mmCIF file of all heavy atoms in Angstrom:
data_model
loop_
_atom_site.group_PDB
_atom_site.id
_atom_site.type_symbol
_atom_site.label_atom_id
_atom_site.label_comp_id
_atom_site.label_asym_id
_atom_site.label_seq_id
_atom_site.Cartn_x
_atom_site.Cartn_y
_atom_site.Cartn_z
ATOM 1 N N ILE A 108 228.890 82.972 97.378
ATOM 2 C CA ILE A 108 229.565 81.821 96.725
ATOM 3 C C ILE A 108 229.131 81.786 95.262
ATOM 4 O O ILE A 108 228.224 82.466 94.848
ATOM 5 C CB ILE A 108 229.191 80.475 97.402
ATOM 6 C CG1 ILE A 108 227.671 80.189 97.238
ATOM 7 C CG2 ILE A 108 229.603 80.453 98.846
ATOM 8 C CD1 ILE A 108 227.293 78.749 97.535
ATOM 9 N N THR A 109 229.833 80.982 94.507
ATOM 10 C CA THR A 109 229.428 80.698 93.158
ATOM 11 C C THR A 109 228.977 79.234 93.119
ATOM 12 O O THR A 109 229.690 78.373 93.612
ATOM 13 C CB THR A 109 230.629 80.903 92.181
ATOM 14 O OG1 THR A 109 231.045 82.260 92.262
ATOM 15 C CG2 THR A 109 230.230 80.593 90.752
ATOM 16 N N ILE A 110 227.830 79.010 92.534
ATOM 17 C CA ILE A 110 227.277 77.662 92.507
ATOM 18 C C ILE A 110 226.645 77.441 91.122
ATOM 19 O O ILE A 110 226.026 78.351 90.583
ATOM 20 C CB ILE A 110 226.243 77.404 93.643
ATOM 21 C CG1 ILE A 110 225.747 75.986 93.691
ATOM 22 C CG2 ILE A 110 225.112 78.405 93.563
ATOM 23 C CD1 ILE A 110 224.922 75.658 94.913
ATOM 24 N N ARG A 111 226.741 76.276 90.609
ATOM 25 C CA ARG A 111 226.088 75.960 89.306
ATOM 26 C C ARG A 111 224.853 75.137 89.583
ATOM 27 O O ARG A 111 224.920 74.081 90.225
ATOM 28 C CB ARG A 111 227.062 75.181 88.415
ATOM 29 C CG ARG A 111 228.271 75.982 88.036
ATOM 30 C CD ARG A 111 229.160 75.223 87.064
ATOM 31 N NE ARG A 111 230.340 75.927 86.780
ATOM 32 C CZ ARG A 111 230.468 76.865 85.851
ATOM 33 N NH1 ARG A 111 229.453 77.210 85.098
ATOM 34 N NH2 ARG A 111 231.662 77.457 85.659
ATOM 35 N N LEU A 112 223.692 75.626 89.112
ATOM 36 C CA LEU A 112 222.431 74.936 89.276
ATOM 37 C C LEU A 112 221.866 74.644 87.919
ATOM 38 O O LEU A 112 222.126 75.384 86.961
ATOM 39 C CB LEU A 112 221.435 75.837 90.051
ATOM 40 C CG LEU A 112 221.884 76.235 91.471
ATOM 41 C CD1 LEU A 112 220.894 77.237 92.051
ATOM 42 C CD2 LEU A 112 222.005 75.009 92.364
ATOM 43 N N ASP A 113 221.040 73.636 87.805
ATOM 44 C CA ASP A 113 220.383 73.329 86.557
ATOM 45 C C ASP A 113 219.453 74.480 86.160
ATOM 46 O O ASP A 113 218.862 75.136 87.021
ATOM 47 C CB ASP A 113 219.506 72.056 86.719
ATOM 48 C CG ASP A 113 220.334 70.801 86.917
ATOM 49 O OD1 ASP A 113 221.553 70.824 86.658
ATOM 50 O OD2 ASP A 113 219.752 69.813 87.386
ATOM 51 N N ASN A 114 219.368 74.691 84.857
ATOM 52 C CA ASN A 114 218.465 75.726 84.374
ATOM 53 C C ASN A 114 217.043 75.515 84.813
ATOM 54 O O ASN A 114 216.322 76.501 85.135
ATOM 55 C CB ASN A 114 218.522 75.812 82.839
ATOM 56 C CG ASN A 114 219.856 76.320 82.353
ATOM 57 O OD1 ASN A 114 220.542 77.022 83.043
ATOM 58 N ND2 ASN A 114 220.188 75.972 81.120
ATOM 59 N N ALA A 115 216.594 74.267 84.866
ATOM 60 C CA ALA A 115 215.248 73.956 85.294
ATOM 61 C C ALA A 115 215.007 74.387 86.745
ATOM 62 O O ALA A 115 213.908 74.871 87.090
ATOM 63 C CB ALA A 115 214.951 72.493 85.116
ATOM 64 N N VAL A 116 216.016 74.246 87.581
ATOM 65 C CA VAL A 116 215.872 74.663 88.981
ATOM 66 C C VAL A 116 215.722 76.170 89.057
ATOM 67 O O VAL A 116 214.838 76.718 89.747
ATOM 68 C CB VAL A 116 217.124 74.194 89.795
ATOM 69 C CG1 VAL A 116 217.091 74.802 91.199
ATOM 70 C CG2 VAL A 116 217.145 72.678 89.899
ATOM 71 N N LEU A 117 216.614 76.901 88.365
ATOM 72 C CA LEU A 117 216.537 78.380 88.349
ATOM 73 C C LEU A 117 215.204 78.840 87.761
ATOM 74 O O LEU A 117 214.578 79.743 88.329
ATOM 75 C CB LEU A 117 217.671 78.974 87.566
ATOM 76 C CG LEU A 117 219.058 78.859 88.219
ATOM 77 C CD1 LEU A 117 220.129 79.391 87.286
ATOM 78 C CD2 LEU A 117 219.059 79.638 89.515
ATOM 79 N N ASP A 118 214.787 78.211 86.691
ATOM 80 C CA ASP A 118 213.528 78.599 86.075
ATOM 81 C C ASP A 118 212.345 78.414 87.036
ATOM 82 O O ASP A 118 211.453 79.274 87.121
ATOM 83 C CB ASP A 118 213.245 77.769 84.800
ATOM 84 C CG ASP A 118 214.204 78.126 83.642
ATOM 85 O OD1 ASP A 118 214.839 79.199 83.715
ATOM 86 O OD2 ASP A 118 214.291 77.294 82.724
ATOM 87 N N HIS A 119 212.383 77.343 87.810
ATOM 88 C CA HIS A 119 211.327 77.072 88.787
ATOM 89 C C HIS A 119 211.220 78.222 89.787
ATOM 90 O O HIS A 119 210.117 78.754 90.052
ATOM 91 C CB HIS A 119 211.581 75.730 89.478
ATOM 92 C CG HIS A 119 210.687 75.511 90.650
ATOM 93 N ND1 HIS A 119 209.385 75.082 90.539
ATOM 94 C CD2 HIS A 119 210.895 75.689 91.976
ATOM 95 C CE1 HIS A 119 208.845 74.975 91.750
ATOM 96 N NE2 HIS A 119 209.760 75.364 92.640
ATOM 97 N N PHE A 120 212.363 78.557 90.375
ATOM 98 C CA PHE A 120 212.327 79.585 91.434
ATOM 99 C C PHE A 120 212.072 80.987 90.860
ATOM 100 O O PHE A 120 211.366 81.768 91.482
ATOM 101 C CB PHE A 120 213.650 79.552 92.224
ATOM 102 C CG PHE A 120 213.704 78.391 93.186
ATOM 103 C CD1 PHE A 120 214.447 77.284 92.871
ATOM 104 C CD2 PHE A 120 213.032 78.439 94.391
ATOM 105 C CE1 PHE A 120 214.466 76.186 93.751
ATOM 106 C CE2 PHE A 120 213.093 77.381 95.286
ATOM 107 C CZ PHE A 120 213.787 76.229 94.937
ATOM 108 N N ARG A 121 212.586 81.290 89.675
ATOM 109 C CA ARG A 121 212.313 82.547 89.039
ATOM 110 C C ARG A 121 210.801 82.665 88.708
ATOM 111 O O ARG A 121 210.231 83.749 88.839
ATOM 112 C CB ARG A 121 213.152 82.739 87.803
ATOM 113 C CG ARG A 121 214.598 82.996 88.127
ATOM 114 C CD ARG A 121 215.456 83.081 86.858
ATOM 115 N NE ARG A 121 216.832 83.436 87.191
ATOM 116 C CZ ARG A 121 217.860 83.122 86.443
ATOM 117 N NH1 ARG A 121 217.688 82.474 85.290
ATOM 118 N NH2 ARG A 121 219.075 83.527 86.788
ATOM 119 N N LYS A 122 210.217 81.590 88.294
ATOM 120 C CA LYS A 122 208.784 81.538 87.975
ATOM 121 C C LYS A 122 207.960 81.824 89.211
ATOM 122 O O LYS A 122 206.974 82.568 89.208
ATOM 123 C CB LYS A 122 208.402 80.215 87.337
ATOM 124 C CG LYS A 122 206.962 80.153 86.918
ATOM 125 C CD LYS A 122 206.669 78.786 86.257
ATOM 126 C CE LYS A 122 205.193 78.713 85.874
ATOM 127 N NZ LYS A 122 204.887 77.375 85.298
ATOM 128 N N GLN A 123 208.379 81.238 90.339
ATOM 129 C CA GLN A 123 207.692 81.455 91.616
ATOM 130 C C GLN A 123 207.720 82.933 91.985
ATOM 131 O O GLN A 123 206.710 83.507 92.435
ATOM 132 C CB GLN A 123 208.272 80.599 92.738
ATOM 133 C CG GLN A 123 207.877 79.181 92.664
ATOM 134 C CD GLN A 123 208.335 78.399 93.917
ATOM 135 O OE1 GLN A 123 209.354 78.728 94.514
ATOM 136 N NE2 GLN A 123 207.590 77.393 94.251
ATOM 137 N N VAL A 124 208.896 83.540 91.810
ATOM 138 C CA VAL A 124 209.045 84.979 92.140
ATOM 139 C C VAL A 124 208.140 85.823 91.228
ATOM 140 O O VAL A 124 207.458 86.719 91.654
ATOM 141 C CB VAL A 124 210.534 85.438 92.029
ATOM 142 C CG1 VAL A 124 210.647 86.930 91.993
ATOM 143 C CG2 VAL A 124 211.334 84.817 93.155
ATOM 144 N N HIS A 125 208.144 85.479 89.952
ATOM 145 C CA HIS A 125 207.315 86.191 88.975
ATOM 146 C C HIS A 125 205.835 86.066 89.325
ATOM 147 O O HIS A 125 205.109 87.062 89.331
ATOM 148 C CB HIS A 125 207.570 85.680 87.562
ATOM 149 C CG HIS A 125 206.756 86.338 86.503
ATOM 150 N ND1 HIS A 125 207.019 87.649 86.121
ATOM 151 C CD2 HIS A 125 205.695 85.929 85.798
ATOM 152 C CE1 HIS A 125 206.125 87.987 85.225
ATOM 153 N NE2 HIS A 125 205.315 86.947 84.988
ATOM 154 N N GLN A 126 205.399 84.866 89.663
ATOM 155 C CA GLN A 126 203.980 84.642 90.004
ATOM 156 C C GLN A 126 203.602 85.361 91.297
ATOM 157 O O GLN A 126 202.453 85.775 91.456
ATOM 158 C CB GLN A 126 203.668 83.154 90.168
ATOM 159 C CG GLN A 126 203.698 82.407 88.813
ATOM 160 C CD GLN A 126 203.566 80.886 88.964
ATOM 161 O OE1 GLN A 126 203.740 80.352 90.081
ATOM 162 N NE2 GLN A 126 203.217 80.250 87.883
ATOM 163 N N ALA A 127 204.575 85.542 92.202
ATOM 164 C CA ALA A 127 204.289 86.229 93.463
ATOM 165 C C ALA A 127 204.305 87.754 93.271
ATOM 166 O O ALA A 127 203.970 88.486 94.179
ATOM 167 C CB ALA A 127 205.327 85.826 94.522
ATOM 168 N N GLY A 128 204.707 88.192 92.097
ATOM 169 C CA GLY A 128 204.727 89.630 91.836
ATOM 170 C C GLY A 128 206.022 90.327 92.244
ATOM 171 O O GLY A 128 206.076 91.528 92.329
ATOM 172 N N GLY A 129 207.036 89.535 92.522
ATOM 173 C CA GLY A 129 208.328 90.110 92.873
ATOM 174 C C GLY A 129 208.979 89.377 93.998
ATOM 175 O O GLY A 129 208.391 88.482 94.619
ATOM 176 N N GLY A 130 210.194 89.704 94.261
ATOM 177 C CA GLY A 130 210.961 89.046 95.297
ATOM 178 C C GLY A 130 212.330 88.675 94.774
ATOM 179 O O GLY A 130 212.812 89.227 93.771
ATOM 180 N N ASN A 131 212.949 87.718 95.435
ATOM 181 C CA ASN A 131 214.303 87.306 95.073
ATOM 182 C C ASN A 131 214.371 85.810 94.970
ATOM 183 O O ASN A 131 214.138 85.102 95.982
ATOM 184 C CB ASN A 131 215.280 87.837 96.140
ATOM 185 C CG ASN A 131 216.729 87.604 95.786
ATOM 186 O OD1 ASN A 131 217.072 86.585 95.198
ATOM 187 N ND2 ASN A 131 217.576 88.518 96.176
ATOM 188 N N TYR A 132 214.670 85.281 93.811
ATOM 189 C CA TYR A 132 214.720 83.827 93.651
ATOM 190 C C TYR A 132 215.836 83.182 94.494
ATOM 191 O O TYR A 132 215.680 82.067 94.935
ATOM 192 C CB TYR A 132 214.913 83.478 92.160
ATOM 193 C CG TYR A 132 216.274 83.703 91.579
ATOM 194 C CD1 TYR A 132 217.220 82.694 91.602
ATOM 195 C CD2 TYR A 132 216.644 84.933 91.063
ATOM 196 C CE1 TYR A 132 218.495 82.887 91.084
ATOM 197 C CE2 TYR A 132 217.880 85.162 90.560
ATOM 198 C CZ TYR A 132 218.821 84.141 90.573
ATOM 199 O OH TYR A 132 220.062 84.364 90.059
ATOM 200 N N GLN A 133 216.891 83.946 94.761
ATOM 201 C CA GLN A 133 217.956 83.400 95.585
ATOM 202 C C GLN A 133 217.467 83.193 97.032
ATOM 203 O O GLN A 133 217.824 82.186 97.673
ATOM 204 C CB GLN A 133 219.160 84.292 95.585
ATOM 205 C CG GLN A 133 219.835 84.368 94.219
ATOM 206 C CD GLN A 133 220.937 85.408 94.154
ATOM 207 O OE1 GLN A 133 220.947 86.348 94.925
ATOM 208 N NE2 GLN A 133 221.837 85.242 93.200
ATOM 209 N N THR A 134 216.621 84.067 97.508
ATOM 210 C CA THR A 134 216.042 83.904 98.843
ATOM 211 C C THR A 134 215.155 82.669 98.891
ATOM 212 O O THR A 134 215.185 81.901 99.867
ATOM 213 C CB THR A 134 215.224 85.168 99.219
ATOM 214 O OG1 THR A 134 216.097 86.279 99.194
ATOM 215 C CG2 THR A 134 214.584 85.009 100.567
ATOM 216 N N LEU A 135 214.400 82.437 97.830
ATOM 217 C CA LEU A 135 213.564 81.230 97.776
ATOM 218 C C LEU A 135 214.390 79.964 97.776
ATOM 219 O O LEU A 135 214.049 78.969 98.423
ATOM 220 C CB LEU A 135 212.665 81.249 96.526
ATOM 221 C CG LEU A 135 211.538 82.256 96.500
ATOM 222 C CD1 LEU A 135 210.746 82.141 95.207
ATOM 223 C CD2 LEU A 135 210.634 82.116 97.711
#
C-alpha cells in the first residue's frame, strides 16, 4: 500500500533500526 506518515514517526522507527544495527523500519 501507499501510506503517508509523519516525518517524526518515520524518523523514530528508522532510528530504532539504526541503533539495532540494521533491520527494516517497515517491519517495526
Side-chain angles (χ1 to χ4, degrees):
I108 64 165
T109 300
I110 184 171
R111 295 184 186 274
L112 300 173
D113 293 343
N114 291 336
V116 171
L117 288 175
D118 291 344
H119 169 79
F120 285 100
R121 286 176 176 156
K122 183 178 178 183
Q123 283 187 331
V124 166
H125 179 72
Q126 289 174 343
N131 186 325
Y132 74 93
Q133 293 173 337
T134 300
L135 291 181

